[in-house]
Amino acid sequence: MNPEWDFYMFGDADIVAYLEHSNYKILRPLYEIVATGAIRADLWRYLIIYDYGGVYFDIDAWAWAPLRNFIPEDVAVVTSSMTAGLLCQWALIYRPGHFIMSATAKEAFQSVLRVVTGEEDWKIHEYEWKEKVTGPPALSRAFERTSKLVRGRPEDKMIMYLNDEFGHQMRNRYGELNPEKYAKKTDSLEDAHWGDYSKSMFYPDIDRERFVKEKEVWMERIGKLFPDVESGPIVYLDGPETFITS
């Protein structure tokens, strides 16, 4: 259905190898203290899409139309809204080096650091509502901060579908493929993905004190990898802020 696309599937070992041989090797200690699989996958997807661009789909995503039907060649971002005003994160469609992906990677890694160092308002997420650390809320926070930079330039053209199925052309089928996990405890997709509230998002033997002592160093390290695009000298032409299709 999509002969013009190359497809790659990454497992845990592939992700570690990518980190080890990329500019993000320095982040590996922060990545490896995370035990929750969904959070590890979140961190990786932002890095790979920021680096290479293209399309990321969760393995349980399902498309019933060719990608070219809803991913035009002349756009920088294709995204879709979800419930509660959040952006779709099980599908990421961005051009390489896009500032929204940079901001999201920065947001996610710094949020992990805030949790492990016990920062007020964040430490609760070690156990509860873990999705707020790196999931759709993190992407949405980064998008809210940076989307105002999208102005009129052709290379910044964006399509936002006003439903969570990309114009009814694809959707996530986690609930159908994993009915027992989906129905577990709270009947929420968030609980199924990010685990129950009795488990920490970190491995039990981590050296928390190291990250507490080195917190500012880590914050600076992450900031250098993912520059704050909002503070740079950016000039845009007049034009619409977003290109929206229902």
Side-chain angles (χ1 to χ4, degrees), residues 1-5 65-73 161 169:
M1 186 162 63
N2 299 289
E4 66 272 32
W5 289 84
L67 298 182
R68 58 185 170 274
N69 282 19
F70 58 96
I71 307 178
E73 293 184 2
Y161 288 95
Q169 296 178 97

Side-chain angles (χ1 to χ4, degrees), residues 127-139:
Y127 291 91
E128 300 181 11
W129 305 297
K130 300 181 185 77
E131 67 275 8
K132 294 184 183 295
V133 181
T134 61
L139 170 61

Side-chain angles (χ1 to χ4, degrees), residues 222-233:
I222 295 167
K224 286 182 177 179
L225 284 171
F226 311 108
D228 186 352
V229 295
E230 293 178 276
S231 63

Side-chain angles (χ1 to χ4, degrees), residues 45-56:
R45 75 186 65 184
Y46 301 141
L47 297 180
I48 199 77
I49 292 297
Y50 177 53
D51 261 1
Y52 293 98
V55 175
Y56 166 88

